[in-house]
Amino acid sequence: MPEPSRPTAVRAAARNGYVGLTFDDGPSSRTPALLSALREAGLRATMFNQGNHADADPGMVRAQADAGMWVANHSYSHPRMTRLGRARMESEISRTQRAVAAAGGGVPELFRPPYGETDDTLRAAAAKYGLREVLWDVDPQDWNGASADAIVEAAGRLTDGQIILLHDWSATTLEAIPRIGRVLRAKGLRAGRICPVTGRAVAPAGPGRRAAPAGGR
């Protein structure tokens, strides 16, 4: 009797689609524990790193990529970008592109503006570096002291293609990770990558790293 091509449980795991787990502001001292928790829960995520943190801890950026996460751009120093001139916007973005690539995280394809504040000028600056701007659909407010229970409840509201905002440094988010994995599986959802064309969560397709062009830019 031939074996089935794929176990039923695996096929059913994504019967209702994919969602995007995103973590802002890393890497931080909590990143190793976060990566371990994600791995144990069978989850992958997009890490919106700050360039200054990537420069300070390049090994952790490489660890994110090696763990199967997708590494993205969250500006260099986390300013309120819409209050900056175009040249400063581009500097924040380009320095982060270089920092992530130099650390071994690939060349980011996604950009999340700090505080979710954006405008046409900032979107154009990001597009100059081949970046798709990505915001979110669900904000559990882990940045504002939300409990692990509240974070898990918010994750349970996700539907196919949607994105949740989380933070690399949040202790309650770290606590919530195993339960987030269980909630998503119960809903028939899997953690996917964020498509740089549509900005929505889709099925994973490899580790998500893009090779740096010649010159390391």
Side-chain angles (χ1 to χ4, degrees), residues 38-88:
L38 289 168
R39 187 181 307 111
E40 290 177 9
L43 300 172
R44 296 173 72 182
T46 301
M47 319 303 282
F48 282 95
N49 285 344
Q50 289 179 216
N52 55 354
H53 294 169
D55 274 340
D57 194 353
M60 194 49 57
V61 176
R62 183 58 185 253
Q64 292 171 334
D66 287 346
M69 308 303 154
W70 297 279
V71 185
N73 187 321
H74 191 44
S75 82
Y76 193 83
S77 62
H78 208 278
R80 293 191 177 274
M81 297 281 281
T82 57
R83 300 180 184 179
L84 307 179
R86 175 67 182 259
R88 176 79 187 282

Side-chain angles (χ1 to χ4, degrees), residues 25 31 37 68 73 76 93 116 135 170 180 189 198:
D25 301 350
T31 303
N73 187 321
Y76 193 83
I93 291 168
L135 298 179
S170 169
I180 289 174
L189 295 168
T198 66

Side-chain angles (χ1 to χ4, degrees), residues 30 142-143 146-148 151 167-177:
R30 194 159 271 131
D142 63 345
W143 53 269
S147 68
I151 294 166
H167 290 80
D168 173 282
W169 46 262
S170 169
T172 51
T173 294
L174 178 61
E175 179 186 345
I177 294 298

Side-chain angles (χ1 to χ4, degrees), residues 81-86 89-90 93 109-114 116-135 196:
M81 297 281 281
T82 57
R83 300 180 184 179
L84 307 179
R86 175 67 182 259
M89 288 179 178
E90 291 189 9
I93 291 168
E109 298 178 300
L110 307 174
F111 170 68
R112 172 169 288 161
E117 296 175 355
T118 189
D119 59 20
D120 289 344
T121 303
L122 180 55
R123 280 188 288 271
K128 176 178 177 178
Y129 294 93
L131 292 162
R132 167 74 187 220
E133 183 181 271
V134 174
L135 298 179

